[in-house]
Amino acid sequence: MSISMPVLAPESACSENCPLGYREAAQEGKPVCCFDCILCPEGEISNTTGMRNCLKCPEDHWSNPQRDECIEKHVEFLRFEETLGTVLVVVSLVLALTTASVLIVFLKHRETQIVRANNRTISYLILISLIFCFICPLLFIGRPENRSCIFRQMVFGIVFSLCESCILAKTLIVVLAFKAREPNSKYKRWLPVKIPSLIIITCLSTQLFICITWLLFSPPFLEFNLNGSVESIFLECNENSQTAFYCMLGFLGLLACLSFVVAFKARHLPDRFNETKWITFSMMIFLSVWSSFLPAYLSTKGKYMVAVEIFAIISSSAGVLGCIFLPKCYIVILNPKLNAGKQFTRINQVSKIKIK
């Protein structure tokens, strides 16, 4: 009696199935059952063994390090709780409170000569607009929404236009008042005219027209930028119309340039009564910051693009506050002797020009 032995099936494969995350690549010159295992590239996965081709992940997903699963991309925006966002919020609030303190000092000493000089009402308007300029960056931080995308650039443009138009009006008042003191001066006939009101209303209306036109015809919108990074989705505001955005910035630059030119030409007025040199310094800082802003803004992405604009807003506003108002606060608080009436007897004409 013979015992039959079991017949084993021959093995035809020379390579084992590739594990998850790898694809099979045929070895040149060898049978099709011989292959190498190659890790799937980034953005692709293989979720079963023995796959010949990797599967591409959806646009809003990315492959994990093992390349066996698609995971949702990280949504990136400038958050309040992260270090960069927290620092910007603290700086903005500190400077806003500092500006409010300066405003309180000016209101408390409103009858002193240095506050009354060069139109104290315009000084109040500049300080109030600076408070909003420092608070404005809070609209840029946090998760963007369609509403915040629409209004944050508009608010920024309007409050800065108010500030810059007031500075321009203040500069022209200084120049006009001193020119009118000369005998037979042709500038005397301009003293009764409400020049500050006309300048502020005209400049603010122009910026409002730009912003409203932008809002009506091509408003900003919330965008999920999938192309900014392979591992993240940039949640950002698309300005929609770059022309409107740069028109708004260009108008602010025009106001700053006009203030700078007028103040620079009046820099040789008597130092004791001359505020134009401080306005010149503030406009130099303003123009330097925003001329540096454009290349930095265009070369960054995501939350760092927002941070660059916030830094430009804060630093340019701080330049105005530091150059125009801190020297006056020094005199009012620490050196009141310079604020005596005798020091300012020659500028009564300036203090009589009021904004209505």
Side-chain angles (χ1 to χ4, degrees):
M1 184 177 179
S2 62
I3 301 175
S4 59
M5 300 295 294
V7 179
L8 299 176
E11 293 184 4
S12 61
C14 64
S15 301
E16 295 183 358
N17 286 339
C18 293
L20 301 181
Y22 291 81
R23 68 176 179 86
E24 297 177 355
Q27 296 178 355
E28 188 176 355
K30 292 186 178 182
V32 293
C33 59
C34 298
F35 47 80
D36 296 321
C37 292
I38 299 178
L39 183 67
C40 290
E42 290 186 346
E44 298 182 8
I45 63 165
S46 66
N47 51 10
T48 58
T49 59
M51 292 186 64
R52 290 298 181 103
N53 297 298
C54 297
L55 302 175
K56 190 173 182 180
C57 293
E59 286 188 344
D60 58 346
H61 285 68
W62 196 246
S63 56
N64 63 351
Q66 294 76 29
R67 307 290 197 274
D68 59 358
E69 183 183 4
C70 288
I71 56 176
E72 191 173 358
K73 288 184 176 181
H74 172 68
V75 178
E76 184 175 312
F77 56 89
L78 186 58
R79 305 170 189 268
F80 283 101
E81 57 270 18
E82 64 180 297
T83 303
L84 179 59
T86 302
V87 170
L88 292 173
V89 169
V90 171
V91 172
S92 297
L93 292 178
V94 168
L95 290 173
L97 291 174
T98 303
T99 309
S101 301
V102 173
L103 178 60
I104 292 172
V105 170
F106 271 52
L107 290 172
K108 185 177 179 180
H109 298 84
R110 59 185 177 276
E111 297 302 330
T112 61
Q113 295 297 328
I114 197 168
V115 176
R116 294 174 59 189
N118 305 329
N119 199 310
R120 59 186 173 187
T121 306
I122 290 185
S123 296
Y124 300 156
L125 283 175
I126 295 175
L127 288 169
I128 292 171
S129 64
L130 283 176
I131 293 174
F132 285 105
C133 287
F134 287 125
I135 296 177
C136 178
L138 300 181
L139 296 175
F140 291 77
I141 305 175
R143 188 181 183 90
E145 298 177 355
N146 279 319
R147 190 176 358 181
S148 61
C149 288
I150 289 174
F151 288 108
R152 69 184 191 180
Q153 296 291 4
M154 311 296 175
V155 172
F156 154 67
I158 291 170
V159 297
F160 261 78
S161 294
L162 175 60
C163 180
E164 292 297 319
S165 60
C166 289
I167 292 174
L168 179 59
K170 176 182 277 289
T171 308
L172 289 175
I173 285 173
V174 176
V175 175
L176 180 63
F178 280 94
K179 293 290 185 181
R181 291 176 56 248
E182 299 175 359
N184 301 322
S185 174
K186 62 181 179 181
Y187 295 97
K188 288 184 178 180
R189 66 175 180 268
W190 291 101
L191 291 179
V193 182
K194 301 175 183 178
I195 293 180
S197 300
L198 292 175
I199 293 173
I200 295 171
I201 293 173
T202 302
C203 295
L204 202 56
S205 300
T206 304
Q207 188 69 286
L208 276 172
F209 175 78
I210 295 173
C211 291
I212 292 174
T213 303
W214 184 9
L215 186 62
L216 291 177
F217 294 99
S218 188
F221 60 89
L222 179 63
E223 180 182 41
F224 289 83
N225 188 348
L226 303 174
N227 302 319
S229 172
V230 295
E231 299 180 356
S232 301
I233 299 175
F234 291 152
L235 190 59
E236 58 189 23
C237 293
N238 189 319
E239 311 304 346
N240 201 357
S241 174
Q242 294 296 318
T243 301
F245 177 64
Y246 289 117
C247 282
M248 182 191 72
L249 289 182
F251 184 71
L252 293 177
L254 175 63
L255 293 179
C257 288
L258 290 175
S259 298
F260 173 78
V261 170
V262 175
F264 183 77
K265 287 185 176 181
R267 68 191 185 279
H268 295 305
L269 293 176
D271 287 341
R272 179 179 295 177
F273 316 110
N274 187 12
E275 192 180 17
T276 54
K277 79 165 110 178
W278 301 112
I279 295 176
T280 303
F281 290 148
S282 67
M283 292 301 99
M284 285 178 63
I285 294 173
F286 185 93
L287 293 171
S288 299
V289 167
W290 286 102
S291 60
S292 303
F293 158 78
L294 290 177
Y297 183 80
L298 296 175
S299 62
T300 53
K301 297 178 181 179
K303 63 182 180 182
Y304 297 105
M305 178 185 291
V306 177
V308 166
E309 185 169 0
I310 293 174
F311 175 79
I313 293 172
I314 292 175
S315 54
S316 57
S317 302
V320 174
L321 176 66
C323 290
I324 297 179
F325 293 100
L326 292 189
K328 290 185 176 182
C329 286
Y330 168 78
I331 294 175
V332 171
I333 299 174
L334 300 178
N335 204 347
K337 291 182 180 180
L338 295 178
N339 201 15
K342 294 181 180 179
Q343 301 290 337
F344 293 90
T345 54
R346 298 176 61 191
I347 58 171
N348 290 332
Q349 195 172 25
V350 181
S351 59
K352 290 179 181 178
I353 304 179
K354 301 293 182 181
I355 181 173
K356 303 296 183 182

